[in-house]
CSV table of all heavy atoms in Angstrom, one decimal:
chain,number,residue,atom,x,y,z
A,834,ASP,N,4.9,-30.7,18.4
A,834,ASP,CA,6.1,-30.0,18.3
A,834,ASP,C,6.9,-30.2,17.1
A,834,ASP,O,7.6,-29.2,16.6
A,834,ASP,CB,7.1,-30.5,19.6
A,834,ASP,CG,6.5,-29.9,20.8
A,834,ASP,OD1,5.6,-29.0,20.8
A,834,ASP,OD2,6.9,-30.4,22.0
A,835,GLU,N,6.9,-31.3,16.5
A,835,GLU,CA,7.6,-31.7,15.3
A,835,GLU,C,7.2,-30.8,14.2
A,835,GLU,O,8.1,-30.1,13.6
A,835,GLU,CB,7.5,-33.1,14.9
A,835,GLU,CG,8.7,-33.6,14.2
A,835,GLU,CD,8.4,-35.1,14.0
A,835,GLU,OE1,8.3,-36.0,14.9
A,835,GLU,OE2,8.4,-35.5,12.8
A,836,ALA,N,5.9,-30.7,14.0
A,836,ALA,CA,5.3,-29.8,12.9
A,836,ALA,C,5.7,-28.4,13.1
A,836,ALA,O,6.1,-27.7,12.2
A,836,ALA,CB,3.8,-30.1,12.8
A,837,ALA,N,5.5,-28.0,14.4
A,837,ALA,CA,5.7,-26.7,14.7
A,837,ALA,C,7.1,-26.1,14.5
A,837,ALA,O,7.4,-25.1,14.1
A,837,ALA,CB,5.4,-26.4,16.3
A,838,SER,N,8.1,-26.9,14.6
A,838,SER,CA,9.5,-26.6,14.4
A,838,SER,C,9.7,-26.3,12.8
A,838,SER,O,10.7,-25.6,12.4
A,838,SER,CB,10.5,-27.7,14.8
A,838,SER,OG,10.3,-28.7,14.0
A,839,ASP,N,8.9,-26.8,12.0
A,839,ASP,CA,9.1,-26.5,10.6
A,839,ASP,C,8.3,-25.3,10.1
A,839,ASP,O,8.5,-24.8,9.0
A,839,ASP,CB,8.5,-27.6,9.7
A,839,ASP,CG,9.3,-28.9,9.9
A,839,ASP,OD1,10.5,-28.8,10.2
A,839,ASP,OD2,8.7,-30.1,9.7
A,840,VAL,N,7.5,-24.7,11.0
A,840,VAL,CA,6.7,-23.6,10.6
A,840,VAL,C,7.6,-22.3,10.6
A,840,VAL,O,8.5,-22.1,11.5
A,840,VAL,CB,5.6,-23.4,11.8
A,840,VAL,CG1,4.9,-22.1,11.5
A,840,VAL,CG2,4.6,-24.5,11.5
A,841,ILE,N,7.5,-21.5,9.6
A,841,ILE,CA,8.1,-20.2,9.5
A,841,ILE,C,7.3,-19.2,10.0
A,841,ILE,O,6.2,-18.8,9.7
A,841,ILE,CB,8.5,-19.9,7.9
A,841,ILE,CG1,9.2,-21.0,7.3
A,841,ILE,CG2,9.2,-18.5,7.9
A,841,ILE,CD1,9.4,-20.8,5.8
A,842,THR,N,7.8,-18.5,11.2
A,842,THR,CA,7.1,-17.5,11.8
A,842,THR,C,7.5,-16.1,11.2
A,842,THR,O,8.7,-15.7,11.1
A,842,THR,CB,7.5,-17.4,13.3
A,842,THR,OG1,7.2,-18.7,13.9
A,842,THR,CG2,6.6,-16.4,14.0
A,843,VAL,N,6.5,-15.3,10.7
A,843,VAL,CA,6.7,-14.1,10.0
A,843,VAL,C,5.9,-13.0,10.6
A,843,VAL,O,4.7,-13.1,10.8
A,843,VAL,CB,6.3,-14.2,8.5
A,843,VAL,CG1,6.4,-12.9,7.8
A,843,VAL,CG2,7.2,-15.2,7.8
A,844,GLY,N,6.6,-12.0,11.0
A,844,GLY,CA,5.8,-10.7,11.5
A,844,GLY,C,5.6,-9.8,10.3
A,844,GLY,O,6.6,-9.6,9.5
A,845,PHE,N,4.5,-9.5,10.0
A,845,PHE,CA,4.1,-8.6,8.9
A,845,PHE,C,3.6,-7.3,9.4
A,845,PHE,O,2.5,-7.1,10.0
A,845,PHE,CB,3.0,-9.2,8.0
A,845,PHE,CG,2.5,-8.3,6.8
A,845,PHE,CD1,3.4,-7.4,6.2
A,845,PHE,CD2,1.2,-8.4,6.5
A,845,PHE,CE1,2.9,-6.6,5.3
A,845,PHE,CE2,0.7,-7.6,5.5
A,845,PHE,CZ,1.6,-6.6,4.8
A,846,ALA,N,4.3,-6.2,9.1
A,846,ALA,CA,4.0,-4.9,9.6
A,846,ALA,C,3.4,-4.1,8.4
A,846,ALA,O,4.0,-3.6,7.5
A,846,ALA,CB,5.2,-4.1,10.1
A,847,GLN,N,2.1,-4.2,8.4
A,847,GLN,CA,1.2,-3.5,7.4
A,847,GLN,C,1.0,-2.0,7.7
A,847,GLN,O,1.0,-1.6,8.8
A,847,GLN,CB,-0.2,-4.2,7.3
A,847,GLN,CG,-1.2,-3.7,6.3
A,847,GLN,CD,-0.7,-3.8,4.9
A,847,GLN,OE1,0.2,-2.9,4.5
A,847,GLN,NE2,-1.3,-4.6,4.0
A,848,THR,N,0.7,-1.2,6.7
A,848,THR,CA,0.7,0.3,6.9
A,848,THR,C,-0.6,0.6,7.7
A,848,THR,O,-0.7,1.4,8.7
A,848,THR,CB,0.5,1.1,5.6
A,848,THR,OG1,-0.7,0.6,5.1
A,848,THR,CG2,1.6,0.8,4.7
A,849,GLY,N,-1.7,0.0,7.4
A,849,GLY,CA,-3.0,0.3,8.0
A,849,GLY,C,-4.1,-0.4,7.3
A,849,GLY,O,-4.0,-1.5,6.6
A,850,ALA,N,-5.3,0.4,7.2
A,850,ALA,CA,-6.4,-0.1,6.4
A,850,ALA,C,-7.0,1.1,5.7
A,850,ALA,O,-8.2,1.3,5.7
A,850,ALA,CB,-7.4,-0.7,7.3
A,851,GLU,N,-6.1,1.9,5.1
A,851,GLU,CA,-6.6,3.2,4.5
A,851,GLU,C,-7.3,3.2,3.3
A,851,GLU,O,-8.1,4.1,3.0
A,851,GLU,CB,-5.4,4.1,4.4
A,851,GLU,CG,-4.4,3.9,3.2
A,851,GLU,CD,-3.4,2.7,3.5
A,851,GLU,OE1,-3.5,2.1,4.6
A,851,GLU,OE2,-2.6,2.5,2.7
A,852,SER,N,-7.3,2.1,2.5
A,852,SER,CA,-7.9,2.1,1.2
A,852,SER,C,-8.4,0.7,0.8
A,852,SER,O,-8.0,-0.3,1.4
A,852,SER,CB,-6.9,2.6,0.1
A,852,SER,OG,-5.8,1.7,0.1
A,853,GLY,N,-9.2,0.6,-0.3
A,853,GLY,CA,-9.6,-0.7,-0.9
A,853,GLY,C,-8.3,-1.4,-1.4
A,853,GLY,O,-8.3,-2.6,-1.3
A,854,TRP,N,-7.4,-0.7,-1.9
A,854,TRP,CA,-6.1,-1.4,-2.4
A,854,TRP,C,-5.4,-2.0,-1.2
A,854,TRP,O,-5.0,-3.2,-1.2
A,854,TRP,CB,-5.1,-0.3,-2.9
A,854,TRP,CG,-4.0,-0.8,-3.5
A,854,TRP,CD1,-3.7,-1.0,-4.9
A,854,TRP,CD2,-2.8,-1.3,-2.9
A,854,TRP,NE1,-2.4,-1.6,-5.1
A,854,TRP,CE2,-1.9,-1.7,-3.8
A,854,TRP,CE3,-2.3,-1.4,-1.5
A,854,TRP,CZ2,-0.5,-2.2,-3.6
A,854,TRP,CZ3,-1.0,-1.9,-1.2
A,854,TRP,CH2,-0.2,-2.3,-2.3
A,855,ARG,N,-5.4,-1.4,-0.1
A,855,ARG,CA,-4.8,-2.0,1.1
A,855,ARG,C,-5.5,-3.1,1.6
A,855,ARG,O,-4.9,-4.2,2.0
A,855,ARG,CB,-4.7,-0.9,2.3
A,855,ARG,CG,-3.9,-1.2,3.5
A,855,ARG,CD,-2.5,-1.5,3.2
A,855,ARG,NE,-1.8,-0.4,2.5
A,855,ARG,CZ,-0.6,-0.4,1.9
A,855,ARG,NH1,0.1,-1.6,1.9
A,855,ARG,NH2,-0.1,0.6,1.3
A,856,SER,N,-6.9,-3.2,1.5
A,856,SER,CA,-7.6,-4.4,2.0
A,856,SER,C,-7.2,-5.5,1.1
A,856,SER,O,-7.0,-6.8,1.5
A,856,SER,CB,-9.1,-4.1,1.8
A,856,SER,OG,-9.5,-3.1,2.7
A,857,ALA,N,-7.1,-5.3,-0.2
A,857,ALA,CA,-6.8,-6.3,-1.2
A,857,ALA,C,-5.4,-6.8,-0.9
A,857,ALA,O,-5.0,-8.1,-1.0
A,857,ALA,CB,-6.9,-5.8,-2.6
Side-chain angles (χ1 to χ4, degrees):
D834 286 349
E835 207 178 298
S838 65
D839 292 338
V840 168
I841 300 170
T842 304
V843 172
F845 173 37
Q847 178 60 289
T848 62
E851 71 278 5
S852 63
W854 189 98
R855 189 59 56 194
S856 305

